[in-house]
Amino acid sequence: MRVLLVLPFLVALVAGATLDFNHYWNANEIDAYLDELATEFPTLASTVNVGTSSEGRRIRGLRVSKDNNNNRPLVIVEGGLRGREWISPMSINYMMHEIVEHYYEFEAILDNVNFLFVPLVNPDGYEFSRSSGNRLWLKSRSVNGNGCFGVDLNRNFGHLWNTVGGSNDPCSDSFVGTAAFSAPETAALRDLIQANAANLALYLSIQSAAQMVLYPFSHSATTNPANVGQLRSLANDVARTLINQHGRIFTSGGAGLLQPAASGSSIDFVAGTIQPQLVFTIETGGAGSYGYDVPESQMAEILSETTYGFLTLAEYVARN
């Protein structure tokens, strides 16, 4: 596997700006990077319009398909569901940087697997967390009334929505929304997943920062997919890969077992409705005062670490 070194890499954008992986990018910079990759690597990458956020920001993705062959097994990687988890979209930016800009290092994967990356599902919450002084803002920014805003997008997906672990209080951080997929962000992601369900082999959600590798189901500690043995074994492999990078301790297991049970997650929707063989969440390494607020000085090793975990999964799909 390619040795991932983050610090020296600069991303030169068409507009003349230079992005690096030593600071957090804003939503517009993430969006521009998708265009840059599609422009520079037209036989490998193309942009995808996913939808529009509550405040009118674009939600976009990048499809990676060698020679535009759409018949390979597909891996969907999604992130940025929660505003405060800045390291999540940055991790996916770095995954795209590796798999596209250094495609020649990953021919064995790209010959056998296609990818669809959606780095920032919640651009409104992300930008509000960045600019409002409320660094720990979690939700989207839909107007709920009575001075309350936003939905916890990872409680708004449709499988067993609003059965456990969420709140019906529009002011709560865990507000589940008014109905399954009531948030335009989750509805847009649902439509994208369903449109690509035929070839979907692996769905991966990148979140932060509990240092875990999780498989469904989030809503229960005792309900598991039929292939739980396969999921458990692969989750253990990914956790070992992550631990081997910088010594951080990662745990692996069922999402509803290792975390408080909560319905309406993206992985439960995919596992319970679309039912591809492989569905996981990687909870990245954490740092800072709350785990979510990773200092820029510590970003580099978390980005490379998380990407190694992603590549472990991608290689598994390519081999199988």
Side-chain angles (χ1 to χ4, degrees), residues 6 36 72 113 122 169 190 221 238 243-244 253 289:
V6 179
E36 174 69 8
R72 302 183 185 96
V113 183
N122 182 12
D169 177 1
R190 172 202 62 200
V238 175
I243 292 167
N244 287 340
S289 299

Side-chain angles (χ1 to χ4, degrees), residues 81-92:
L81 283 171
R82 288 170 164 161
R84 66 192 181 192
E85 298 182 7
W86 300 0
I87 200 69
S88 165
M90 287 304 299
S91 294
I92 298 179

Side-chain angles (χ1 to χ4, degrees), residues 11-32:
V11 182
L13 296 178
V14 171
T18 299
L19 298 177
D20 59 43
F21 289 95
N22 302 316
H23 79 278
Y24 289 105
W25 305 356
N26 64 38
N28 287 336
E29 290 171 328
I30 294 171
D31 199 47

Side-chain angles (χ1 to χ4, degrees), residues 165-179:
S167 173
N168 290 302
D169 177 1
C171 294
S172 169
D173 273 353
S174 58
F175 178 49
V176 299
T178 56

Side-chain angles (χ1 to χ4, degrees), residues 107-306:
E107 296 282 5
I109 294 176
L110 292 169
D111 283 342
N112 294 285
V113 183
N114 291 338
F115 297 90
L116 184 50
F117 297 97
V118 186
L120 188 54
V121 179
N122 182 12
D124 298 346
Y126 181 75
E127 285 301 306
F128 186 78
S129 174
R130 287 171 51 83
S131 62
S132 68
N134 189 344
R135 174 64 181 83
L136 298 183
W137 181 263
L138 180 151
K139 297 187 289 181
S140 65
R141 290 295 296 168
S142 55
V143 178
N144 299 336
N146 296 319
C148 301
F149 294 86
V151 172
D152 181 352
L153 297 185
N154 211 34
R155 299 291 180 268
N156 190 240
F157 289 84
H159 186 68
L160 298 178
W161 173 80
N162 195 25
T163 56
V164 62
S167 173
N168 290 302
D169 177 1
C171 294
S172 169
D173 273 353
S174 58
F175 178 49
V176 299
T178 56
F181 300 111
S182 60
E185 297 86 355
T186 58
L189 188 58
R190 172 202 62 200
D191 292 348
L192 180 75
I193 294 165
Q194 290 177 335
N196 290 275
N199 292 327
L200 184 60
L202 164 66
Y203 186 90
L204 176 60
S205 181
I206 303 298
Q207 300 179 28
S208 70
Q211 297 180 195
M212 294 179 178
V213 183
L214 305 171
Y215 51 81
F217 286 96
S218 302
H219 69 264
S220 171
T222 58
T223 303
N224 295 301
N227 65 330
V228 63
Q230 179 188 26
L231 296 175
R232 183 182 297 117
S233 176
L234 186 50
N236 289 340
D237 289 345
V238 175
R240 280 192 293 268
T241 297
L242 293 164
I243 292 167
N244 287 340
Q245 304 314 307
H246 303 289
R248 288 188 186 84
I249 299 303
F250 282 77
T251 54
S252 60
L257 180 63
L258 295 184
Q259 296 181 326
S263 60
S265 67
S266 64
I267 65 167
D268 275 18
F269 165 67
V270 175
T273 304
I274 308 299
Q275 297 182 340
Q277 188 177 30
L278 304 173
V279 181
F280 292 98
T281 295
I282 293 179
E283 290 262 1
T284 72
S289 299
Y290 304 96
Y292 306 105
D293 53 329
V294 176
E296 292 181 334
S297 62
Q298 297 180 47
M299 278 176 56
E301 65 180 35
I302 292 179
L303 297 185
S304 63
E305 175 182 85
T306 308

